[in-house]
Amino acid sequence: MAKDYYQILGVERSATTEEIKKAFRKVARQTHPDANPEEPAAESRFKEAAEAYEVLSDPTRRQRYDRGDTIDLSDLFSGMGGLDDLIRSVFGDSGLFGGRPYRPPRGRDILVRASVTLEEAASGTEVVVEYSALSACQTCEGTGASPGTHPVTCPDCKGAGQVRMAQRSVFGTMMSVTTCPTCQGEGSLIADPCPECSGSGSRPDGKTVSVEVPPGVSSGTRLRLSGRGESGGRAGQTGDLFVEVEVEPDERFERRDSDLVHSLAVTVPEATLGARLEVPTIDGDMETLEIPPGTQPGAIFTLSGRGMPLLGRRQRGDLHVVVDVMIPEVLTSEEEELVRKWAELSGESAERRASTR
């Protein structure tokens, strides 16, 4: 009875080429002899899966198979070419179990904090931060090799950082790619390490960096400076520097996102008769505000566009002025007499209010 390749891969007969490839990747990893060293049947299961993929992944072969024709796959397992090429076409040079090209370690990211005033957050400013981090060794210029010498190409991997290893099985030779054990994947060797950094290519160092703080930042905003973090050592990529901004409180304003709130002290006569009062702004100037007669405590007046800038945009928030009517706690005898007279004229004397309680 002919083998059911669809069943072997666990796909429907209507499966697409991509679905077939995905299924084969899964089955190949599950059935490969290296993943099942104590299971004798693993080799035959893996071979069947390879046959199924070789047939179903090719449109012409698949049509012939669906018609019931006999497919000759004798060349698939004869030597290093067939099966090795098939595996590489599906899994790439990494092989079935994910051997990946060596990548030098990336340097550590650094986080520092900087404080700015609310006015500086509104206008933008420049701050200087200091921090400690590993930097490229100046003695060897980051190579890790003693001055006057250079790293040499690894003789085993020829600088690739990887080596290909052949493994023989009953159905052919399997090729796998693995990290070079001689250079540990770096592709080079250091015969004479730098005496200052012991061959690491980096040393502790104190750094000072000037950072541009854009208008509109708020507490918690992180500014990223690429490549200003810690050195990754020999051929490693340098990490990044993150500056977290802390905006100091301002007694004149309460910040609400891009809006500002200012509490304006207004006397009873000013609230009653109306007044023209000066209001501070985050830009450093004063804005004249017209307080109409009869203004009530808690009344809010909005000055459009006098708030905080929106980070990265041209728009600005608003400045909301909240009226805080100041009631005098101590009166002179003359002032008290005038207030009582005012109360009598308005029909709201203190004595009348006390009698109605």
Side-chain angles (χ1 to χ4, degrees):
M1 180 181 296
K3 297 178 181 179
D4 188 341
Y5 289 147
Y6 293 101
Q7 183 178 15
I8 291 172
L9 296 183
V11 297
E12 301 292 336
R13 300 188 73 85
S14 59
T16 64
T17 301
E18 187 60 32
E19 290 172 338
I20 291 172
K21 184 175 183 179
K22 182 178 180 180
F24 173 63
R25 291 172 66 94
K26 179 180 179 181
V27 175
R29 287 195 175 102
Q30 292 175 343
T31 61
H32 192 274
D34 288 350
N36 303 272
E38 298 181 0
E39 186 177 347
E43 290 186 353
S44 61
R45 290 169 55 203
F46 179 79
K47 180 177 179 180
E48 284 186 338
E51 288 180 0
Y53 177 74
E54 183 74 359
V55 172
L56 300 183
S57 63
D58 182 275
T60 302
R61 285 179 174 174
R62 184 176 179 178
Q63 288 181 358
R64 293 175 53 202
Y65 171 77
D66 290 341
R67 290 198 306 262
D69 294 350
T70 300
I71 310 297
D72 182 12
L73 296 176
S74 58
D75 60 337
L76 178 60
F77 304 104
S78 59
M80 296 177 57
L83 187 58
D84 185 33
D85 291 342
L86 185 150
I87 297 300
R88 194 181 304 113
S89 70
V90 178
F91 294 92
D93 289 336
S94 62
L96 275 75
F97 303 107
R100 296 180 180 177
Y102 172 78
R103 293 181 181 178
R106 183 179 182 275
R108 184 171 60 96
D109 292 336
I110 302 293
L111 174 65
V112 297
R113 292 177 173 83
S115 295
V116 298
T117 66
L118 187 62
E119 286 186 346
E120 291 173 332
S123 62
T125 187
E126 183 176 293
V127 297
V128 176
V129 297
E130 298 179 352
Y131 59 100
S132 297
L134 291 176
S135 298
C137 177
Q138 296 183 356
T139 301
C140 65
E141 298 181 345
T143 65
S146 182
T149 67
H150 301 279
V152 296
T153 302
C154 175
D156 291 341
C157 67
K158 304 299 187 293
Q162 293 181 310
V163 292
R164 299 181 66 186
M165 302 182 66
Q167 294 180 326
R168 295 188 176 277
S169 65
V170 296
F171 49 89
T173 302
M174 300 288 295
M175 300 297 296
S176 62
V177 179
T178 185
T179 300
C180 176
T182 304
C183 65
Q184 301 302 314
E186 293 191 15
S188 62
L189 300 172
I190 296 180
D192 187 8
C194 170
E196 294 296 327
C197 65
S198 301
S200 67
S202 58
R203 295 189 62 194
D205 187 22
K207 297 186 177 184
T208 301
V209 176
S210 180
V211 183
E212 292 289 338
V213 179
V217 296
S218 56
S219 292
T221 298
R222 287 191 176 185
L223 307 175
R224 176 182 178 183
L225 282 73
S226 298
R228 302 305 294 269
E230 197 161 76
S231 169
R234 297 170 49 201
Q237 182 182 1
T238 303
D240 299 331
L241 171 66
F242 290 88
V243 179
E244 184 171 283
V245 178
E246 177 67 29
V247 181
E248 300 170 357
D250 191 304
E251 61 181 9
R252 301 168 299 167
F253 305 102
E254 176 189 348
R255 183 174 184 177
R256 298 178 181 174
D257 295 328
S258 61
D259 290 344
L260 295 174
V261 179
H262 173 71
S263 180
L264 179 64
V266 179
T267 66
V268 172
E270 289 171 338
T272 304
L273 302 176
R276 291 171 58 87
L277 302 177
E278 296 294 312
V279 178
T281 70
I282 196 62
D283 300 308
D285 58 353
M286 303 294 287
E287 182 88 12
T288 301
L289 182 64
E290 188 82 26
I291 301 295
T295 296
Q296 300 299 306
I300 300 176
F301 299 90
T302 298
L303 302 178
S304 299
R306 298 310 301 267
M308 296 290 291
L310 275 70
L311 184 62
R313 299 166 63 182
R314 295 184 178 182
Q315 293 93 331
R316 294 186 61 163
D318 301 327
L319 172 58
H320 303 288
V321 181
V322 181
V323 172
D324 183 12
V325 178
M326 308 300 293
I327 306 299
E329 296 181 358
V330 179
L331 297 175
T332 65
S333 57
E334 183 179 1
E335 290 172 336
E336 183 177 349
E337 183 180 349
L338 290 173
V339 172
R340 289 184 182 277
K341 181 67 174 177
W342 179 26
E344 291 174 0
L345 291 174
S346 62
E348 303 238 354
S349 65
E351 290 79 2
R352 186 184 70 82
R353 284 192 176 275
S355 65
T356 59
R357 292 176 182 172

Short mmCIF file of all heavy atoms in Angstrom, two decimals, residues 24-50 83-84 87 91 95-97 165-169 171-176:
data_model
loop_
_atom_site.label_atom_id
_atom_site.label_comp_id
_atom_site.label_asym_id
_atom_site.label_seq_id
_atom_site.Cartn_x
_atom_site.Cartn_y
_atom_site.Cartn_z
N PHE A 24 6.26 19.98 8.19
CA PHE A 24 7.50 19.20 8.11
C PHE A 24 8.52 19.69 9.14
O PHE A 24 9.22 18.89 9.77
CB PHE A 24 8.10 19.29 6.71
CG PHE A 24 9.46 18.65 6.61
CD1 PHE A 24 9.64 17.29 6.84
CD2 PHE A 24 10.59 19.42 6.31
CE1 PHE A 24 10.89 16.71 6.76
CE2 PHE A 24 11.84 18.84 6.23
CZ PHE A 24 12.00 17.48 6.45
N ARG A 25 8.61 21.00 9.34
CA ARG A 25 9.54 21.51 10.34
C ARG A 25 9.22 20.92 11.72
O ARG A 25 10.12 20.55 12.47
CB ARG A 25 9.45 23.05 10.40
CG ARG A 25 9.98 23.75 9.15
CD ARG A 25 9.68 25.23 9.21
NE ARG A 25 10.40 25.86 10.29
CZ ARG A 25 11.59 26.45 10.17
NH1 ARG A 25 12.19 26.48 8.98
NH2 ARG A 25 12.18 27.01 11.20
N LYS A 26 7.93 20.84 12.02
CA LYS A 26 7.52 20.32 13.32
C LYS A 26 7.82 18.83 13.44
O LYS A 26 8.42 18.37 14.43
CB LYS A 26 6.03 20.58 13.51
CG LYS A 26 5.47 20.05 14.83
CD LYS A 26 3.99 20.35 14.94
CE LYS A 26 3.43 19.78 16.25
NZ LYS A 26 1.96 20.06 16.37
N VAL A 27 7.44 18.07 12.42
CA VAL A 27 7.65 16.62 12.47
C VAL A 27 9.13 16.27 12.44
O VAL A 27 9.59 15.35 13.14
CB VAL A 27 6.91 15.93 11.30
CG1 VAL A 27 7.22 14.43 11.27
CG2 VAL A 27 5.41 16.15 11.41
N ALA A 28 9.92 17.01 11.66
CA ALA A 28 11.35 16.73 11.56
C ALA A 28 12.04 16.90 12.90
O ALA A 28 12.89 16.09 13.29
CB ALA A 28 11.99 17.64 10.51
N ARG A 29 11.69 17.94 13.61
CA ARG A 29 12.30 18.15 14.92
C ARG A 29 11.88 17.08 15.92
O ARG A 29 12.64 16.69 16.80
CB ARG A 29 11.93 19.54 15.46
CG ARG A 29 12.63 20.70 14.74
CD ARG A 29 12.50 21.98 15.53
NE ARG A 29 13.26 23.06 14.93
CZ ARG A 29 12.75 24.03 14.20
NH1 ARG A 29 11.43 24.05 13.97
NH2 ARG A 29 13.49 24.98 13.70
N GLN A 30 10.63 16.62 15.80
CA GLN A 30 10.13 15.61 16.72
C GLN A 30 10.73 14.23 16.46
O GLN A 30 10.93 13.45 17.40
CB GLN A 30 8.60 15.53 16.63
CG GLN A 30 7.88 16.76 17.14
CD GLN A 30 6.39 16.68 16.92
OE1 GLN A 30 5.91 15.87 16.11
NE2 GLN A 30 5.63 17.51 17.62
N THR A 31 11.01 13.93 15.20
CA THR A 31 11.42 12.57 14.84
C THR A 31 12.90 12.42 14.54
O THR A 31 13.36 11.30 14.29
CB THR A 31 10.62 12.09 13.60
OG1 THR A 31 10.90 12.96 12.50
CG2 THR A 31 9.12 12.11 13.88
N HIS A 32 13.66 13.52 14.55
CA HIS A 32 15.07 13.42 14.21
C HIS A 32 15.78 12.48 15.19
O HIS A 32 15.53 12.53 16.39
CB HIS A 32 15.73 14.80 14.21
CG HIS A 32 17.08 14.80 13.60
ND1 HIS A 32 18.23 14.48 14.31
CD2 HIS A 32 17.49 15.07 12.33
CE1 HIS A 32 19.27 14.56 13.51
NE2 HIS A 32 18.85 14.91 12.30
N PRO A 33 16.67 11.63 14.71
CA PRO A 33 17.38 10.68 15.59
C PRO A 33 18.13 11.36 16.73
O PRO A 33 18.23 10.80 17.82
CB PRO A 33 18.35 9.97 14.63
CG PRO A 33 17.66 10.07 13.30
CD PRO A 33 16.98 11.39 13.29
N ASP A 34 18.66 12.57 16.50
CA ASP A 34 19.39 13.26 17.57
C ASP A 34 18.47 13.64 18.72
O ASP A 34 18.91 13.77 19.86
CB ASP A 34 20.06 14.52 17.02
CG ASP A 34 21.24 14.18 16.13
OD1 ASP A 34 21.63 13.00 16.09
OD2 ASP A 34 21.75 15.10 15.46
N ALA A 35 17.18 13.83 18.43
CA ALA A 35 16.22 14.18 19.47
C ALA A 35 15.63 12.93 20.13
O ALA A 35 14.95 13.03 21.15
CB ALA A 35 15.10 15.04 18.89
N ASN A 36 15.87 11.77 19.53
CA ASN A 36 15.34 10.50 20.05
C ASN A 36 16.42 9.43 20.04
O ASN A 36 16.32 8.43 19.31
CB ASN A 36 14.14 10.04 19.21
CG ASN A 36 13.04 11.08 19.14
OD1 ASN A 36 12.16 11.14 19.97
ND2 ASN A 36 13.10 11.91 18.09
N PRO A 37 17.50 9.63 20.79
CA PRO A 37 18.64 8.70 20.71
C PRO A 37 18.31 7.28 21.15
O PRO A 37 19.00 6.34 20.75
CB PRO A 37 19.68 9.35 21.65
CG PRO A 37 18.86 10.18 22.59
CD PRO A 37 17.71 10.68 21.79
N GLU A 38 17.27 7.10 21.94
CA GLU A 38 16.95 5.77 22.45
C GLU A 38 15.76 5.14 21.74
O GLU A 38 15.24 4.11 22.18
CB GLU A 38 16.67 5.86 23.96
CG GLU A 38 17.87 6.34 24.77
CD GLU A 38 17.59 6.40 26.26
OE1 GLU A 38 16.45 6.05 26.65
OE2 GLU A 38 18.50 6.75 27.02
N GLU A 39 15.32 5.75 20.66
CA GLU A 39 14.17 5.21 19.93
C GLU A 39 14.61 4.74 18.54
O GLU A 39 14.86 5.55 17.64
CB GLU A 39 13.09 6.29 19.79
CG GLU A 39 11.80 5.75 19.17
CD GLU A 39 10.72 6.81 19.09
OE1 GLU A 39 10.87 7.86 19.75
OE2 GLU A 39 9.73 6.59 18.36
N PRO A 40 14.73 3.45 18.31
CA PRO A 40 15.21 2.93 17.03
C PRO A 40 14.34 3.33 15.85
O PRO A 40 14.84 3.51 14.74
CB PRO A 40 15.19 1.41 17.25
CG PRO A 40 15.23 1.22 18.73
CD PRO A 40 14.48 2.38 19.30
N ALA A 41 13.03 3.47 16.08
CA ALA A 41 12.13 3.79 14.97
C ALA A 41 12.21 5.24 14.54
O ALA A 41 11.60 5.63 13.54
CB ALA A 41 10.69 3.47 15.38
N ALA A 42 12.96 6.09 15.28
CA ALA A 42 13.00 7.51 14.95
C ALA A 42 13.58 7.75 13.57
O ALA A 42 13.11 8.61 12.82
CB ALA A 42 13.81 8.26 16.01
N GLU A 43 14.61 6.99 13.20
CA GLU A 43 15.25 7.20 11.91
C GLU A 43 14.28 6.97 10.76
O GLU A 43 14.22 7.74 9.80
CB GLU A 43 16.47 6.29 11.77
CG GLU A 43 17.62 6.67 12.68
CD GLU A 43 18.86 5.84 12.43
OE1 GLU A 43 18.74 4.89 11.63
OE2 GLU A 43 19.91 6.13 13.00
N SER A 44 13.50 5.88 10.85
CA SER A 44 12.56 5.59 9.77
C SER A 44 11.44 6.62 9.71
O SER A 44 10.98 7.01 8.62
CB SER A 44 11.98 4.18 9.95
OG SER A 44 11.27 4.08 11.17
N ARG A 45 11.00 7.10 10.87
CA ARG A 45 9.94 8.13 10.90
C ARG A 45 10.46 9.43 10.30
O ARG A 45 9.75 10.11 9.56
CB ARG A 45 9.48 8.35 12.34
CG ARG A 45 8.68 7.17 12.92
CD ARG A 45 8.49 7.33 14.42
NE ARG A 45 7.88 8.61 14.75
CZ ARG A 45 8.00 9.20 15.93
NH1 ARG A 45 8.73 8.62 16.88
NH2 ARG A 45 7.41 10.34 16.15
N PHE A 46 11.69 9.77 10.62
CA PHE A 46 12.27 10.98 10.05
C PHE A 46 12.43 10.85 8.54
O PHE A 46 12.16 11.80 7.78
CB PHE A 46 13.63 11.28 10.70
CG PHE A 46 14.30 12.51 10.16
CD1 PHE A 46 13.92 13.76 10.60
CD2 PHE A 46 15.31 12.41 9.22
CE1 PHE A 46 14.52 14.90 10.10
CE2 PHE A 46 15.92 13.54 8.72
CZ PHE A 46 15.53 14.80 9.16
N LYS A 47 12.84 9.67 8.10
CA LYS A 47 13.01 9.43 6.67
C LYS A 47 11.67 9.55 5.95
O LYS A 47 11.59 10.15 4.87
CB LYS A 47 13.61 8.06 6.45
CG LYS A 47 13.84 7.71 4.98
CD LYS A 47 14.51 6.35 4.85
CE LYS A 47 14.72 6.00 3.38
NZ LYS A 47 15.36 4.68 3.22
N GLU A 48 10.62 9.01 6.53
CA GLU A 48 9.29 9.11 5.93
C GLU A 48 8.84 10.56 5.83
O GLU A 48 8.25 10.98 4.83
CB GLU A 48 8.27 8.30 6.74
CG GLU A 48 8.35 6.80 6.54
CD GLU A 48 7.23 6.09 7.26
OE1 GLU A 48 6.67 6.69 8.22
OE2 GLU A 48 6.91 4.94 6.89
N ALA A 49 9.11 11.34 6.88
CA ALA A 49 8.73 12.74 6.87
C ALA A 49 9.47 13.50 5.78
O ALA A 49 8.90 14.36 5.09
CB ALA A 49 9.00 13.36 8.24
N ALA A 50 10.77 13.18 5.60
CA ALA A 50 11.55 13.82 4.56
C ALA A 50 11.01 13.45 3.17
O ALA A 50 10.93 14.30 2.27
CB ALA A 50 13.02 13.42 4.68
N LEU A 83 19.58 14.92 0.99
CA LEU A 83 18.93 15.22 2.25
C LEU A 83 19.50 16.48 2.89
O LEU A 83 18.77 17.27 3.48
CB LEU A 83 19.08 14.03 3.20
CG LEU A 83 18.29 14.13 4.51
CD1 LEU A 83 16.81 14.31 4.22
CD2 LEU A 83 18.51 12.92 5.39
N ASP A 84 20.79 16.66 2.76
CA ASP A 84 21.41 17.86 3.34
C ASP A 84 20.84 19.12 2.70
O ASP A 84 20.53 20.11 3.38
CB ASP A 84 22.92 17.80 3.15
CG ASP A 84 23.63 18.96 3.85
OD1 ASP A 84 23.14 19.39 4.92
OD2 ASP A 84 24.64 19.44 3.32
N ILE A 87 17.20 19.69 3.98
CA ILE A 87 17.16 20.26 5.33
C ILE A 87 17.56 21.73 5.30
O ILE A 87 16.94 22.58 5.95
CB ILE A 87 18.08 19.47 6.28
CG1 ILE A 87 17.60 18.02 6.41
CG2 ILE A 87 18.14 20.14 7.64
CD1 ILE A 87 16.20 17.90 6.96
N PHE A 91 15.37 24.70 6.87
CA PHE A 91 15.82 25.26 8.14
C PHE A 91 16.95 26.26 7.99
O PHE A 91 17.34 26.90 8.96
CB PHE A 91 16.28 24.14 9.07
CG PHE A 91 15.17 23.21 9.50
CD1 PHE A 91 14.89 22.06 8.78
CD2 PHE A 91 14.40 23.49 10.62
CE1 PHE A 91 13.87 21.20 9.16
CE2 PHE A 91 13.39 22.64 11.01
CZ PHE A 91 13.11 21.50 10.28
N GLY A 95 20.36 24.67 10.65
CA GLY A 95 20.03 23.28 10.92
C GLY A 95 18.73 23.13 11.66
O GLY A 95 18.01 24.11 11.94
N LEU A 96 18.39 21.92 12.03
CA LEU A 96 17.10 21.63 12.66
C LEU A 96 16.98 22.23 14.03
O LEU A 96 15.89 22.63 14.45
CB LEU A 96 16.88 20.11 12.76
CG LEU A 96 16.28 19.41 11.54
CD1 LEU A 96 17.33 19.27 10.46
CD2 LEU A 96 15.73 18.06 11.94
N PHE A 97 18.08 22.30 14.77
CA PHE A 97 17.97 22.65 16.18
C PHE A 97 18.54 24.02 16.50
O PHE A 97 19.04 24.28 17.59
CB PHE A 97 18.65 21.57 17.03
CG PHE A 97 18.06 20.20 16.79
CD1 PHE A 97 18.76 19.24 16.09
CD2 PHE A 97 16.77 19.91 17.22
CE1 PHE A 97 18.20 17.99 15.85
CE2 PHE A 97 16.20 18.67 16.98
CZ PHE A 97 16.92 17.71 16.30
N MET A 165 29.37 20.28 10.86
CA MET A 165 29.77 18.93 11.27
C MET A 165 28.89 17.91 10.57
O MET A 165 27.67 18.09 10.46
CB MET A 165 29.66 18.79 12.79
CG MET A 165 30.50 19.81 13.56
SD MET A 165 30.40 19.58 15.35
CE MET A 165 31.19 17.98 15.51
N ALA A 166 29.51 16.86 10.07
CA ALA A 166 28.79 15.79 9.37
C ALA A 166 28.50 14.65 10.34
O ALA A 166 29.37 14.23 11.11
CB ALA A 166 29.61 15.28 8.19
N GLN A 167 27.27 14.15 10.29
CA GLN A 167 26.87 13.01 11.11
C GLN A 167 26.26 11.96 10.19
O GLN A 167 25.35 12.26 9.43
CB GLN A 167 25.85 13.43 12.17
CG GLN A 167 26.41 14.37 13.23
CD GLN A 167 25.37 14.75 14.25
OE1 GLN A 167 24.19 14.87 13.94
NE2 GLN A 167 25.80 14.94 15.48
N ARG A 168 26.79 10.76 10.28
CA ARG A 168 26.32 9.70 9.40
C ARG A 168 25.18 8.94 10.06
O ARG A 168 25.18 8.71 11.26
CB ARG A 168 27.45 8.73 9.05
CG ARG A 168 28.55 9.39 8.22
CD ARG A 168 29.55 8.38 7.71
NE ARG A 168 30.53 8.99 6.84
CZ ARG A 168 30.33 9.23 5.55
NH1 ARG A 168 29.19 8.88 4.98
NH2 ARG A 168 31.29 9.80 4.82
N SER A 169 24.21 8.59 9.25
CA SER A 169 23.09 7.78 9.73
C SER A 169 22.82 6.71 8.69
O SER A 169 23.46 6.67 7.63
CB SER A 169 21.85 8.65 9.93
OG SER A 169 21.40 9.15 8.69
N PHE A 171 20.52 6.47 6.68
CA PHE A 171 19.95 6.92 5.41
C PHE A 171 20.72 8.11 4.83
O PHE A 171 20.20 8.91 4.07
CB PHE A 171 18.47 7.30 5.57
CG PHE A 171 18.18 8.20 6.72
CD1 PHE A 171 18.22 9.57 6.56
CD2 PHE A 171 17.84 7.68 7.95
CE1 PHE A 171 17.94 10.41 7.61
CE2 PHE A 171 17.56 8.51 9.01
CZ PHE A 171 17.61 9.87 8.85
N GLY A 172 21.98 8.26 5.20
CA GLY A 172 22.79 9.29 4.58
C GLY A 172 23.57 10.10 5.60
O GLY A 172 23.59 9.80 6.79
N THR A 173 24.23 11.14 5.11
CA THR A 173 25.03 12.01 5.96
C THR A 173 24.25 13.29 6.25
O THR A 173 23.79 13.96 5.33
CB THR A 173 26.36 12.37 5.26
OG1 THR A 173 27.07 11.17 4.98
CG2 THR A 173 27.20 13.27 6.15
N MET A 174 24.12 13.59 7.54
CA MET A 174 23.41 14.80 7.96
C MET A 174 24.45 15.86 8.33
O MET A 174 25.45 15.57 8.99
CB MET A 174 22.54 14.51 9.19
CG MET A 174 21.48 13.44 8.96
SD MET A 174 20.17 14.04 7.91
CE MET A 174 19.51 15.32 8.96
N MET A 175 24.22 17.10 7.90
CA MET A 175 25.10 18.20 8.21
C MET A 175 24.44 19.12 9.24
O MET A 175 23.25 19.41 9.15
CB MET A 175 25.43 19.01 6.96
CG MET A 175 26.12 18.20 5.86
SD MET A 175 27.73 17.56 6.37
CE MET A 175 28.63 19.08 6.61
N SER A 176 25.18 19.55 10.22
CA SER A 176 24.67 20.49 11.21
C SER A 176 25.68 21.62 11.39
O SER A 176 26.87 21.46 11.14
CB SER A 176 24.42 19.79 12.55
OG SER A 176 25.62 19.28 13.08
#
